[in-house]
Amino acid sequence: MEAGSSRHGSPDAAESQQLRGTNQSGMRDHNERLVLSLVRQSGALAKSDIARMTGLSAQTVSVIMRELEVEGLLLRQEPIRGKIGQPSIPMALNPEGAFFIGLKIGRRSAELVLIDFLGKTRAMLQNSYGYPTPRDTIDFVRSGIAQMRASLTREQDQRIAGLGVAMPFELWSWVDTAGAPREVMDEWRNRDIRADLQTLFSFPVYVQNDATSACGAELVFGDIGALRDFVYFYIGAFAGGGVVLNGRLYSGPTGNAGALGSMPVPGPGGRPTQLIDVASIAVLEKALNAKGIEASYLWTSPEEWRDLGPELDGWIATASDALAYAIVASASVIDFESAVIDGWMPPAIRTRLVQAVQAAIGKIDVEGLRIPSVREGTVGIHARALGGASLPLSERFLIGSTAPSRGV
Amino acid sequence: MEAGSSRHGSPDAAESQQLRGTNQSGMRDHNERLVLSLVRQSGALAKSDIARMTGLSAQTVSVIMRELEVEGLLLRQEPIRGKIGQPSIPMALNPEGAFFIGLKIGRRSAELVLIDFLGKTRAMLQNSYGYPTPRDTIDFVRSGIAQMRASLTREQDQRIAGLGVAMPFELWSWVDTAGAPREVMDEWRNRDIRADLQTLFSFPVYVQNDATSACGAELVFGDIGALRDFVYFYIGAFAGGGVVLNGRLYSGPTGNAGALGSMPVPGPGGRPTQLIDVASIAVLEKALNAKGIEASYLWTSPEEWRDLGPELDGWIATASDALAYAIVASASVIDFESAVIDGWMPPAIRTRLVQAVQAAIGKIDVEGLRIPSVREGTVGIHARALGGASLPLSERFLIGSTAPSRGV
DNA sequence: CAATAATTAAATCACTCTTATTTATTATTG
DNA sequence: CAATAATAAATAAGAGTGATTTAATTATTG
């Protein structure tokens, strides 16, 4: 259990140990994923475009894409005329090609989301609580998914490709601080939530760290352009992160890569603190509470916070210093092109935070490094649940890049 | 040029942009590399072992390994008897299968090394200087390699698979601090050393960051067991590092991953400094010089330093605190299994340093992280040059793991 | 109508897989 | 102790899969 439970457990117990050989079906699978990844990234592409981009022969691409079309994953668009030669027929992702369900288990609420092949949200459900329990969570998932599936046609329902669960690393270690009884804590520790959920459904169930999931949502659904290597911060009740290398979400050997909340940074007094202790919404809430301000709306209305006054300014100042520091430290481990910051906050405040971080980086000694550009996330508050849903999508339809290329 | 020159330039200008398709030769190439990687990692293996490990059919493995044997890359060992069934015939790497040349360009000296397929050093040459110049470096390489090749048979010579150059990132930015004239600095900045060297040889020439190279040597030649993800520190005149992910050296989008010398850490007074400013041999030298102690033997006799007294103790104390901090910060970016420390120092001192780092980590708040084990490097002072030589070896004969696996 | 580019059918080629066979060895039986 | 059974490694032959090559077809521009 231990390390295993927080990995994204591949339900088929597939990748047994380490290094596998490649055979023809592996090759075809790889090329199919490649085509789908390119079409997802670039919009609609003609077969000839794909052939040029991949280096595969036109005929191979023709065969692969025709098959994907027959399977309902690609849709033929209007031919493009006006250029010399036979008009090209762009092929786009079919929104109805597949559906995915994401579940986020958070400190104060759970979210369930149903998305289509393009990542568009088709349905969303929420469940608030004082603290989560396995039993209630499973009930919520069972009834919630039943409700969502009822709204789908039989055809659509059969195209549900999986459920991805985004939850914090070692959930039980903080559930008790939320006032939960000890039994609940132990239940989370001892139960294999993935296995329990898997018994309910015929499609595969995956589990992944919540901030890593948010990062995955940014990668798959976000507007990141050609960005292929970035470090990602999600500032929620707690702070966490994720890592994208070579266009692929990297979750690490134990699934705990991007544990940026635990990054040591210089605290207010100059002594080292963890990032999470200065750059999380929980810290902001505490600061507000200390002033006697009721701040539960931080959790309930993330689209628009009231005017928060000096506490917010102070929070942004310290949080951005800490984030700047964490970004520089990250950049000395991996030469990321960008650092992306998103979180449970209104876009306007996210913008302020990012600007403050950019300014704060300027005050740090960065000799010997190329500092990543700092940008806002483009997915927003629901990134974790969407990232959960992106997990079955990635597993089934996308590809990384560190793959064997063509021979000579 | 810019970013390009410090990448490991693939001489064939092969991997044009990003995502390539896979074809049969790619598949075969992948499986061949897989076999060689496994044999390198595990010593000698029978065909049936390989078949079990890779999931490939016995027949496929038979064909591949027979071919590798014919090519002279594998050697048939004595059959192993004493077990039921036909005795298995282990196949080992043929030491004469290929040769590789490594060049390290350092602050005070250059090293040239010739190794065989097992990584054993066949020849080594050194060249000391006040500061390096491109012209002298190229002369040294030309004559040095000519001398080395003269000692090889025609057969061996034809099996030289490449030259790998290990040199610091933006060499020119510190050459001037070594007292070099400005022209030399500019020459390094403006010249493409890889291209210049490539004109001299028919085998491919690669360039890579020096500390990253050292890390690669540890990965390929070191005694790391099953370790597949680690962060590596090389403490030389300066401090640098490297990153191994999934059993593969990761050099990052710009080739500057593992720039750990630039990691911000709490300095002596508690204010942030870069790791390089507290944990490098140059700092130790400076401390000794300040006490009026002549310390040039630090560079010339790294096998055995004289008794260094309190300055060494002080250096180990501050360096280990900083390293401990850098390791924790790295672990919050990637959940490394281990941190490996090596450098230009006698093994006994390396041992002390590692022990001090282990102790120092205990004093840091690591909640939410699994802390990597800290171990000594097993390659030693020549890791950079050997790592240079490992570069053509990896490019040509080894494989990472993030590759398409077998189909159903 | 010539040139150009996209697409695809047919034939070919490379590589892995499955099945069956051979070979070498240990374990068991009479 | 010889004969036989069991086991495992290695390989040969043939089948199957998927990419490539070659050539033909189609739609469009100029």
Side-chain angles (χ1 to χ4, degrees):
Chain A
M1 221 86 314
E2 259 286 24
S5 71
S6 77
R7 284 214 73 164
H8 59 273
S10 54
D12 298 305
E15 44 186 307
S16 53
Q17 63 262 49
Q18 27 181 4
L19 300 161
R20 318 298 333 255
T22 308
N23 59 13
Q24 286 99 326
S25 39
M27 176 168 72
R28 170 53 83 87
D29 182 68
H30 173 258
N31 289 339
E32 284 183 2
R33 287 162 181 265
L34 182 55
V35 169
L36 290 173
S37 299
L38 288 171
V39 173
R40 184 172 297 274
Q41 200 187 354
S42 310
L45 292 171
K47 299 188 177 86
S48 51
D49 294 326
I50 297 278
R52 272 187 294 268
M53 294 168 93
T54 59
L56 293 169
S57 70
Q59 174 60 8
T60 298
V61 174
S62 179
V63 170
I64 289 176
M65 292 186 82
R66 213 178 322 157
E67 195 171 302
L68 292 173
E69 187 186 3
V70 169
E71 286 173 19
L73 296 175
L74 291 180
L75 272 187
R76 185 173 292 259
Q77 309 285 91
E78 275 306 298
I80 291 183
R81 293 158 209 278
K83 288 184 293 187
I84 297 177
Q86 176 167 334
S88 63
I89 302 175
M91 307 288 286
L93 294 181
N94 182 356
E96 304 268 314
F99 295 86
F100 311 93
I101 305 174
L103 168 69
K104 169 220 121 183
I105 306 175
R107 183 188 170 209
R108 302 291 293 275
S109 71
E111 277 174 31
L112 205 49
V113 63
L114 171 71
I115 65 171
D116 65 22
F117 202 37
L118 293 181
K120 189 161 163 254
T121 301
R122 295 293 187 104
M124 180 173 270
L125 295 170
Q126 285 211 4
N127 183 30
S128 296
Y129 39 64
Y131 54 84
T133 69
R135 180 185 308 267
D136 293 346
T137 303
I138 289 175
D139 283 349
F140 170 59
V141 172
R142 194 204 315 263
S143 66
I145 289 185
Q147 187 182 328
M148 285 172 164
R149 295 178 76 166
S151 74
L152 298 178
T153 65
R154 166 179 291 276
E155 164 86 8
Q156 290 172 325
D157 186 78
Q158 284 169 344
R159 287 179 174 265
I160 295 176
L163 164 64
V165 181
M167 57 188 284
F169 180 67
E170 295 185 347
L171 179 75
W172 54 87
S173 68
W174 56 261
V175 164
D176 58 340
T177 72
R182 197 186 153 70
E183 305 88 73
V184 172
M185 192 174 107
D186 286 339
E187 217 181 331
W188 277 117
R189 192 201 315 271
N190 299 325
R191 249 172 114 154
D192 182 345
I193 189 82
R194 196 202 70 74
D196 291 350
L197 287 171
Q198 183 66 82
T199 62
L200 300 179
F201 308 107
S202 55
F203 44 74
V205 178
Y206 305 87
V207 173
Q208 187 176 248
N209 177 281
D210 58 348
T212 303
S213 297
C215 181
E218 187 69 35
L219 173 66
V220 179
F221 305 128
D223 181 20
I224 59 171
L227 195 56
R228 288 173 57 75
D229 296 79
F230 63 90
V231 58
Y232 176 93
F233 295 82
Y234 188 89
I235 311 297
F238 301 119
V243 169
V244 170
L245 302 175
N246 244 315
R248 190 171 175 69
L249 185 64
Y250 184 75
S251 60
T254 69
N256 202 30
L260 299 164
S262 300
M263 169 83 77
V265 295
R271 79 167 50 86
T273 344
Q274 290 199 334
L275 178 68
I276 202 172
D277 296 324
V278 283
S280 62
I281 307 296
V283 172
L284 174 59
E285 182 188 31
K286 219 162 115 187
L288 289 165
N289 286 344
K291 293 279 177 175
I293 305 171
E294 211 286 313
S296 65
Y297 61 87
L298 289 178
W299 311 117
T300 50
S301 63
E303 307 82 12
E304 185 58 52
W305 289 346
R306 305 174 212 163
D307 199 22
L308 286 171
E311 283 73 24
L312 178 62
D313 300 338
W315 180 80
I316 289 182
T318 49
S320 60
D321 278 352
L323 280 166
Y325 197 87
I327 289 171
V328 173
S330 303
S332 57
V333 180
I334 307 281
D335 50 343
F336 296 110
E337 297 168 64
S338 273
V340 178
I341 299 176
D342 209 335
W344 186 263
M345 65 185 80
I349 292 180
R350 185 178 64 193
T351 305
R352 282 184 60 192
L353 181 63
V354 166
Q355 286 169 347
V357 170
Q358 287 164 337
I361 286 182
K363 292 180 286 183
I364 301 177
D365 177 6
V366 298
E367 190 174 333
L369 298 176
R370 287 227 186 81
I371 289 305
S373 62
V374 184
R375 23 174 131 179
E376 292 184 55
T378 59
V379 175
I381 55 173
H382 297 302
R384 289 169 297 183
L386 288 168
S390 79
L391 196 43
L393 193 161
S394 308
E395 289 289 324
R396 176 87 173 267
F397 297 111
L398 299 185
I399 193 165
S401 77
T402 329
S405 51
R406 308 179 70 242
V408 227
Chain B
M1 222 80 316
E2 258 288 25
S5 72
S6 78
R7 285 215 72 165
H8 59 274
S10 54
D12 297 305
E15 43 185 310
S16 52
Q17 63 261 52
Q18 27 182 5
L19 299 161
R20 318 298 332 253
T22 307
N23 60 11
Q24 284 100 327
S25 39
M27 175 168 72
R28 179 54 164 270
D29 182 68
H30 173 258
N31 289 339
E32 283 183 3
R33 286 162 182 266
L34 182 55
V35 168
L36 290 174
S37 300
L38 288 170
V39 174
R40 183 172 298 274
Q41 198 186 357
S42 310
L45 292 171
K47 298 188 175 87
S48 52
D49 294 326
I50 297 278
R52 273 187 294 267
M53 293 167 92
T54 58
L56 294 170
S57 70
Q59 177 59 11
T60 298
V61 173
S62 180
V63 170
I64 289 175
M65 292 186 82
R66 214 178 322 157
E67 194 170 303
L68 292 174
E69 188 186 2
V70 170
E71 286 173 18
L73 297 175
L74 292 180
L75 271 188
R76 186 172 291 259
Q77 309 285 91
E78 276 306 297
I80 292 183
R81 293 157 211 279
K83 289 186 292 186
I84 298 177
Q86 176 167 336
S88 63
I89 302 175
M91 307 288 286
L93 294 182
N94 182 357
E96 304 268 314
F99 295 86
F100 311 93
I101 304 175
L103 167 68
K104 169 220 120 182
I105 306 175
R107 184 187 168 210
R108 303 290 293 273
S109 70
E111 277 175 31
L112 204 50
V113 63
L114 171 72
I115 65 171
D116 64 22
F117 203 36
L118 293 181
K120 190 163 162 253
T121 300
R122 295 293 187 102
M124 181 174 271
L125 295 170
Q126 285 211 5
N127 184 30
S128 296
Y129 39 65
Y131 54 84
T133 69
R135 180 186 307 265
D136 293 347
T137 303
I138 288 175
D139 283 349
F140 170 59
V141 172
R142 192 204 316 264
S143 67
I145 289 185
Q147 186 182 328
M148 285 172 165
R149 294 179 78 167
S151 74
L152 297 179
T153 65
R154 166 178 291 275
E155 164 87 6
Q156 289 172 326
D157 187 76
Q158 284 169 344
R159 286 177 174 265
I160 294 176
L163 163 64
V165 181
M167 58 188 284
F169 179 67
E170 296 186 347
L171 179 76
W172 54 87
S173 67
W174 56 262
V175 164
D176 58 339
T177 71
R182 196 187 153 70
E183 306 89 73
V184 172
M185 192 175 108
D186 286 339
E187 218 181 330
W188 277 115
R189 192 203 313 271
N190 298 325
R191 250 171 112 154
D192 182 347
I193 188 83
R194 196 202 71 72
D196 290 351
L197 287 171
Q198 183 66 81
T199 61
L200 301 178
F201 307 107
S202 54
F203 44 73
V205 177
Y206 306 87
V207 173
Q208 186 177 248
N209 177 281
D210 58 348
T212 302
S213 297
C215 180
E218 187 70 34
L219 173 66
V220 178
F221 306 128
D223 181 20
I224 58 171
L227 195 56
R228 289 172 55 74
D229 297 79
F230 63 89
V231 58
Y232 176 94
F233 294 82
Y234 188 90
I235 312 295
F238 301 120
V243 169
V244 171
L245 302 175
N246 244 316
R248 190 169 175 72
L249 186 63
Y250 184 75
S251 60
T254 68
N256 202 29
L260 299 163
S262 301
M263 169 84 77
V265 296
R271 79 166 50 84
T273 346
Q274 290 199 334
L275 178 69
I276 202 173
D277 295 324
V278 284
S280 61
I281 307 295
V283 172
L284 174 59
E285 182 187 31
K286 217 162 117 186
L288 289 165
N289 286 343
K291 293 279 179 174
I293 305 171
E294 210 287 312
S296 65
Y297 62 86
L298 289 177
W299 311 118
T300 51
S301 64
E303 307 81 14
E304 185 58 53
W305 289 347
R306 305 172 211 162
D307 198 22
L308 285 171
E311 282 74 24
L312 177 62
D313 300 339
W315 179 80
I316 289 183
T318 49
S320 61
D321 278 351
L323 280 166
Y325 196 88
I327 289 171
V328 172
S330 302
S332 57
V333 180
I334 307 280
D335 51 342
F336 296 110
E337 297 168 64
S338 273
V340 178
I341 298 176
D342 209 336
W344 185 263
M345 64 186 81
I349 291 178
R350 186 178 63 193
T351 305
R352 282 184 59 193
L353 181 63
V354 165
Q355 286 168 348
V357 170
Q358 286 164 337
I361 286 182
K363 293 180 286 183
I364 301 177
D365 177 6
V366 297
E367 191 174 331
L369 298 177
R370 288 224 187 81
I371 289 305
S373 63
V374 185
R375 23 175 131 180
E376 292 183 56
T378 60
V379 174
I381 54 172
H382 297 302
R384 289 168 296 183
L386 288 167
S390 79
L391 195 44
L393 192 160
S394 308
E395 290 288 325
R396 176 87 174 266
F397 297 111
L398 298 185
I399 192 164
S401 78
T402 329
S405 50
R406 308 178 68 240
V408 228

